Amino acid sequence: MRLLKVATCNLNQWAMDFDCNMKNIKESISKAKEAGAVIRLGPELEITGYGCEDHFLELDTVNHAWDCLKELLLGDWTNGILCSFGMPVIKGSERYNCQVLCLDRKILMIRPKMWLANDGNYRELRWFTAWKQKEHLEDFLLPTDISEALSQTVVPFGYGFIQFLDTAVAAEVCEELFSPMPPHAELSLNGVEVFMNASGSHHQLRKLDLRLRAFIGATHSRGGVYMYSNHQGCDGGRLYYDGCSCIVVNGDVVAQGSQFSLKDVEMAVAQVDLDAVASLRGSISSFQEQASCKTKVSSVAVPYKLCQSFNLPISLSSPLKIHYHSPEEEIAFGPGCWLWDYLRRSGASGFLLPLSGGADSSSVAAIVGCMSQLVVKEITNGDEQVKADAIRIGHYTDGQFPTDSKEFAKRIFYTVFMGSENSSNATRTRAKMLAEEIGSWHLDLSIDVVVSALLSLFQTLTGKRPRYKVDGGSNIENLGLQNIQARVRMVLAFMLASLLPWVHNKPGFYLVLGSSNVDEGLRGYLTKYDCSSADINPIGSISKQDLRSFLRWAAVHLGYSSLAEIEAAPPTAELEPIRSNYSQLDEVDMGMTYEELSVYGRMRKIFRCGPVSMFKNLCYKWGMKLTPVEIADKVKYFFKYYSINRHKMTVLTPSYHAESYSPEDNRFDLRQFLYNAQWPYQFRKIDELVKQVNGDRVAITKATDQEAIGVTTEGGMGVVAAGSGNPSAGV
């Protein structure tokens, strides 16, 4: 037997905070050593943080990374343990995303990333060059100060692996695993048994299974030990890196870290037998045949043993049942952990949320409540970092700290119901009940006096006073009156967030939370600079349907029972007067359902459909219940309002990224914001297709009718249809 103990980790790094990152890296190495591991893998670009973005273009960032690596190598951190560190490296005039493999205070090899992530939220080609020289390793001249400190001048640089005396180890960096021809396939044929994948993968609803299937597939048919390390947390932007570091042996997961956590460092450790890898490979005939004619990959020989021999007291890691969260749990824990990182790193003292009693703002409130529960749970479990952060943010004194989530929420969470003459007692009551269940400091105020003052000012200026549509006003008046209410609420929210701490003798400021969902953003069903305009938004890329499922789940599992009633209520903005014969409803206002919006959003973004291809696809999807004309009208209506309102996405509040059809304009969904909303060419094409489809249907109907009554084009007169049983059917 060749027994090998390996350790991988989730690290909560912070872009450009080298002190924070080094603290976590050192703690992970210490924990790996304590566990007896001889290999320690950290996440991609762990020294700088993954989300540095254009800071990677600064030479300072690269130089600071080298200084940090020097500190690690001059200490005893790499003594007796192979460590893979992620950092940017400049070779010649190119900048590479690299894994630096170190052992016993020396750099063994620098492995540049060959296939860069450059879609969705990823823009690696903006900052890095892909390494393309696969044929051989090159010499890399270390920076002078590093060379002098380490007494090492040149190190191997490029694509290859490290050949130890008892096994072979190689790096495969994040996106490379998901490329059409992943390096691990070729490396396996060259005898590599241990793969180290340093990653920077962010959370997206229902995505984890795809990732884990890739790890399992990498070793199921070709054998091997696959180590995966990831960031975990908010490192300074919209993304939440969702950890789940793991170790897979021959297609079986033997160690798995958490997907969501408040911990800064979390380890996944496994004891494996490399002879099991060799045995599996030896039993697969096709593997043997392909290995016999493989393309040779360069290697670095290191005269060092990593493995132990047979030792009975050592137990091997067994396969685990993979743990997946439900989508409702993902919505609770992902944004909840993201909010905690943002709160503790921003210097704020808490959050303020305009709580309307509707589904969206109630979802945000429930997520903050979940965050408070997670904080108290981690403190109970002995996490000193979470405890220290909570004491600082909650302004506890005299040795006190949070022991109850509702008490903690009272300190760090304001909710405000900003009612008007158009608000119902039902939403006011629901907002109050939810605030009591969560424990927030709740305020109830009326904005009517402010709205009235603005309307009086407008009337003084113009001599006219707008009316609601139900009172005989025009559409323009109706919309203007709704926008006034919405924007007043935004101004009041920011005023309260900055001044309420002063009123209550609390230091600092509060962050305003937004609560518009992804579907409303896609349709533009929000007022520009209303309560959707906030500091951050934890649900900005989550669909209405998923939020309603989350509310049902949270009513039970988070203990906020009022959410069940909130979820059951029809969505309404409550910006128009309530009459006996009229009540404003979101889906009526939008002219489409939230379910339809999700379909449009996925087709537009995920399946890259323009108006014409969306129409064609929906003819297949909805053709059994809608006519082509009806489908065409729906597609045109969506694209009309999507393009009219696209400009709103340019000022969309920074939102937690959770959905693959998010319309977020900053980096994920890059499109113009000035459209010809008539889409003349595309809509004309749709009209032509409708005519074509209707013509085909008429022809098919005629042919079917003729067949049914026995009409034939041969012989002139028709005959009775065979089997019709009705002589009069003949013509």
Side-chain angles (χ1 to χ4, degrees), residues 453-504:
L454 288 170
L455 290 176
S456 295
L457 175 63
F458 180 83
Q459 187 173 9
T460 301
L461 181 65
T462 66
K464 292 188 175 183
R465 193 177 185 92
R467 295 176 299 167
Y468 290 103
K469 191 173 182 179
V470 293
D471 295 328
S474 65
N475 286 329
I476 293 176
E477 294 172 78
N478 197 60
L479 184 59
L481 287 170
Q482 293 183 69
N483 288 342
I484 290 170
Q485 298 170 70
R487 288 177 176 136
V488 162
R489 288 177 172 134
M490 185 270 289
V491 173
L492 283 173
F494 277 97
M495 184 182 76
L496 292 171
S498 62
L499 292 178
L500 279 179
W502 166 71
V503 171
H504 295 131

Side-chain angles (χ1 to χ4, degrees), residues 84-242:
S84 179
F85 301 115
M87 60 178 276
V89 174
I90 294 177
K91 184 179 187 297
S93 57
E94 303 94 44
R95 185 184 300 99
Y96 295 100
N97 176 350
C98 295
Q99 288 301 117
V100 184
L101 282 67
C102 306
L103 174 67
D104 287 342
R105 308 189 185 206
K106 297 293 182 183
I107 299 174
L108 302 182
M109 174 185 175
I110 299 177
R111 163 67 155 83
K113 191 172 182 179
M114 297 188 296
W115 308 113
L116 301 179
N118 207 59
D119 52 14
N121 285 296
Y122 296 102
R123 295 287 180 275
E124 290 185 11
L125 279 171
R126 180 180 174 96
W127 311 300
F128 301 109
T129 299
W131 180 255
K132 303 175 183 68
Q133 313 303 321
K134 292 184 60 177
E135 294 75 19
H136 59 276
L137 292 167
E138 298 184 3
D139 288 337
F140 177 79
L141 189 65
L142 291 172
T144 303
D145 58 328
I146 305 297
S147 175
E148 292 175 353
L150 302 181
S151 300
Q152 188 177 9
T153 306
V154 175
V155 297
F157 186 102
Y159 170 59
F161 62 92
I162 300 178
Q163 181 65 62
F164 291 95
L165 295 176
D166 47 5
T167 189
V169 179
E172 182 170 68
V173 190
C174 195
E175 179 73 10
E176 294 175 349
L177 168 65
F178 304 98
S179 62
M181 298 177 64
H184 68 256
E186 183 177 51
L187 291 166
S188 296
L189 299 176
N190 276 265
V192 173
E193 295 176 311
V194 181
F195 303 92
M196 302 184 295
N197 188 310
S199 184
S201 294
H202 64 77
H203 174 236
Q204 195 164 284
L205 288 172
R206 305 173 179 89
K207 174 186 173 185
L208 182 61
D209 180 55
L210 299 176
R211 198 186 304 163
L212 282 168
R213 284 211 305 264
F215 307 147
I216 293 169
T219 61
H220 178 74
S221 60
R222 56 180 68 91
V225 176
Y226 205 94
M227 303 170 61
Y228 171 77
S229 176
N230 193 18
H231 296 267
Q232 187 173 60
C234 167
D235 79 340
R238 294 164 171 79
L239 306 181
Y240 179 83
Y241 299 93
D242 61 338

Side-chain angles (χ1 to χ4, degrees), residues 192-193 222-225 249-250 273-282:
V192 173
E193 295 176 311
R222 56 180 68 91
V225 176
V249 180
N250 292 350
D273 176 19
L274 293 184
D275 278 357
V277 175
S279 176
L280 175 62
R281 289 177 175 179

Side-chain angles (χ1 to χ4, degrees), residues 298-349:
S298 301
S299 63
V300 177
V302 177
Y304 188 91
K305 285 188 176 182
L306 293 176
C307 302
Q308 295 184 48
S309 301
F310 174 74
N311 188 343
L312 195 58
I314 297 177
S315 59
L316 296 177
S317 299
S318 302
L320 304 175
K321 181 180 179 181
I322 300 173
H323 177 68
Y324 293 109
H325 287 286
S326 68
E328 294 80 10
E329 289 173 328
E330 291 185 72
I331 292 171
F333 302 141
C337 292
W338 181 76
L339 284 178
W340 176 246
D341 278 342
Y342 203 102
L343 179 60
R344 69 188 181 115
R345 288 172 171 172
S346 67
S349 297

